[in-house]
Amino acid sequence: MRRRARITAVLVSAVLTVAVGGCAGQSEADSEGGSSAEPGWTYVSGDGETYTADEVPVRIIAEAYAAKVLMEFGITPVAIWASSPVSEDVGLQGVDFTGIEVIGQEWGKIDVAAAAELAPDLIVGDWWPVEEAYSGFEAGVEDSSRRLADLAPVVGASQGDSIVTLIEGYADLAASLGADPEAIAQSRATFEEAVADFEAANEENPGVTALAISPWDTDYSVAVPAYAPELLDFQRWGLDVIVPETPDPDFPYWETLSMETADTYQPDLLLFDDRNHPGNEEILAEAPISGEIAAFAAGQTTTWPAYWVHTYGDYAAELTRLAEVIRATDSSVGE
């Protein structure tokens, strides 16, 4: 059993412990045959470990996308950090962070001194299985920023093969922190209606093929659905998202082609990474080969929510928008 070191009470108002695989540490009374009281809070995190505390954590610092989903369920953090300026991040548009301290707006850089002043009980961010790290603690993050983990335990839902699973993981976390179960249920019901509409669109216009891309300077990057859970969801719900044949060996999220070979795949619909849109579409428009990509020449393009969707509300809105695009797509263009 692995146990997390106790956190100094000056920094953290609730001391949390972690045990692998749900194995909780035994008290002296337990060892003598007695039973200890149940913890006031418990959560099975994305890394597979079970985290417990005597009291429900209240002072939470969260990565901005994780904060957004917690806020949809009524849990407001005391601070957030983001990978880019909050005002410019497509995935954070419309979020009211008034009263919430921002301790980082650049990937890999977090103001840990400011975080310590806030005395957090809990740090929240996505678990990334490929990197085996939580958001904010991946390879390349500044060593000084990694010290955020010294202030409180780090938990969060896991990225995986479905955004639905990610959102459900945060719904479970929010519920453990005191969120209203009815509010969660209502958000889920609205989302499920959007999924049904997306599935209906694919049934009404079968055979549409799509390619998720991110042109950048001289590169034409094609997303690999296996590492993009929203694209896996789209496939699951009836959209034929093309799987590139040769993912980059050092970073298999993408297959990187040159602009000269950007016509390798010929879909009916091009899905541009919306984090870099419209700049990435403008880059492709300037490339001579763009006229050889049938979907682009036909104007059959849109965006896809690349790697940022965390809430039922955002996902429902994106699915509803994409359903209408699919209905209007000519499925013979990429033949």
Side-chain angles (χ1 to χ4, degrees), residues 90-136:
V90 65
L92 300 175
Q93 299 306 300
V95 185
D96 184 2
F97 289 123
T98 302
I100 299 173
E101 187 163 346
V102 180
I103 59 172
Q105 298 190 74
E106 181 179 350
W107 189 88
K109 296 184 178 182
I110 302 171
D111 187 341
V112 176
E117 290 291 326
L118 296 169
D121 301 327
L122 197 65
I123 311 297
V124 178
D126 295 356
W127 173 255
W128 294 87
V130 174
E131 289 87 345
E132 295 188 340
Y134 283 99
S135 295

Side-chain angles (χ1 to χ4, degrees), residues 38-227:
E38 291 294 324
W41 175 79
T42 183
Y43 176 65
V44 180
S45 193
D47 59 7
E49 299 183 350
T50 298
Y51 294 75
T52 65
D54 293 338
E55 298 179 358
V56 176
V58 174
R59 300 185 62 78
I60 298 163
I61 293 178
E63 187 276 331
Y65 293 159
K68 185 177 182 180
V69 64
L70 291 178
M71 291 169 68
E72 179 174 83
F73 297 139
I75 304 299
T76 302
V78 296
I80 65 165
W81 80 90
S83 297
S84 60
V86 171
S87 62
E88 299 174 9
D89 193 315
V90 65
L92 300 175
Q93 299 306 300
V95 185
D96 184 2
F97 289 123
T98 302
I100 299 173
E101 187 163 346
V102 180
I103 59 172
Q105 298 190 74
E106 181 179 350
W107 189 88
K109 296 184 178 182
I110 302 171
D111 187 341
V112 176
E117 290 291 326
L118 296 169
D121 301 327
L122 197 65
I123 311 297
V124 178
D126 295 356
W127 173 255
W128 294 87
V130 174
E131 289 87 345
E132 295 188 340
Y134 283 99
S135 295
F137 303 94
E138 306 98 321
V141 169
E142 292 184 348
D143 289 342
S144 59
S145 296
R146 291 172 179 272
R147 294 183 61 190
L148 183 67
D150 296 338
L151 305 182
V154 183
V155 303
S158 178
Q159 289 279 348
D161 63 1
S162 174
I163 295 296
V164 180
T165 304
L166 178 72
I167 298 173
E168 285 293 317
Y170 278 115
D172 290 343
L173 177 58
S176 78
L177 297 171
D180 179 4
E182 182 60 29
I184 295 174
Q186 290 177 354
S187 293
R188 184 184 294 118
T190 300
F191 163 73
E192 289 173 348
E193 291 176 0
V195 172
D197 182 52
F198 186 89
E199 291 177 322
N202 285 293
E203 291 172 359
E204 293 165 19
N205 190 13
V208 172
T209 59
L211 188 71
I213 62 172
S214 188
W216 189 260
D217 294 333
T218 60
D219 292 335
Y220 185 80
S221 296
V222 179
V224 178
Y227 297 99

Side-chain angles (χ1 to χ4, degrees), residues 34 79 121 126 145 153 176 206 217 222 258 263 277 280-281 286 303:
D121 301 327
D126 295 356
S145 296
S176 78
D217 294 333
V222 179
S258 68
D263 61 347
H277 195 264
N280 50 8
E281 188 161 0
E286 294 173 359
T303 58

Side-chain angles (χ1 to χ4, degrees), residues 191 194-195 197-198 234 237 314-324:
F191 163 73
V195 172
D197 182 52
F198 186 89
F234 296 169
W237 298 327
D314 280 340
Y315 213 3
E318 288 294 321
L319 290 174
T320 298
R321 178 184 65 81
L322 286 168
E324 292 310 305

